[in-house]
Amino acid sequence: MSDYLVVALVTLLGVALVATAFGAGRLLAPSDPTPAKVTTYESGVDPVGSGWEQGSVRYLVYALLYVVFAVDAVYLFPWALVLRTDLGPASLVEMAIFIGVLVVALLHVWRRGLLRWW
């Protein structure tokens, strides 16, 4: 039962810490909401049209490509650092398969014309 008590105590302490931080921010931060401050804007530009207009899917594709290659980098850098030690041929084959899948995906995206900016 004492294990559950420790978990409950840590949870309550975390909630209290977050509540204290939000409360301190509310009390200490200056607040002067004017109509200019509460209007909606997008990247510093006043919005045009309604918020329910159809956007381009290309932006989503660019975001997904970024995530794929960011995960690639996160996976490759630690592997390259550990490469100094002897990992064996199995690790090299696994990494070759991983990079091969990424190259096939990149070629597919390039062939479909999703990497063109115009």
Side-chain angles (χ1 to χ4, degrees):
M1 190 65 153
S2 66
D3 293 337
Y4 291 112
L5 185 62
V6 170
V7 170
L9 185 64
V10 169
T11 303
L12 287 175
L13 186 64
V15 169
L17 181 65
V18 170
T20 302
F22 275 113
R26 174 73 85 179
L27 290 174
L28 299 175
S31 176
D32 185 24
T34 61
K37 289 182 181 178
V38 296
T39 58
T40 305
Y41 68 93
E42 297 173 6
S43 301
V45 179
D46 291 332
V48 178
S50 70
W52 294 102
E53 293 181 19
Q54 181 159 355
S56 177
V57 179
R58 294 183 71 123
Y59 298 117
L60 178 64
V61 172
Y62 292 134
L64 289 174
L65 284 173
Y66 172 77
V67 168
V68 165
F69 289 106
V71 168
D72 170 32
V74 167
Y75 189 62
L76 278 175
F77 284 131
W79 180 80
L81 290 175
V82 177
L83 187 62
R84 296 179 196 162
T85 63
D86 186 30
L87 290 177
S91 175
L92 188 62
V93 170
E94 288 173 0
M95 190 53 65
I97 292 171
F98 178 71
I99 292 173
V101 168
L102 285 174
V103 167
V104 168
L106 183 62
L107 289 174
H108 174 71
V109 168
W110 176 66
R111 192 174 135 238
R112 296 210 37 179
L114 295 173
L115 297 179
R116 281 182 282 163
W117 287 93
W118 59 89

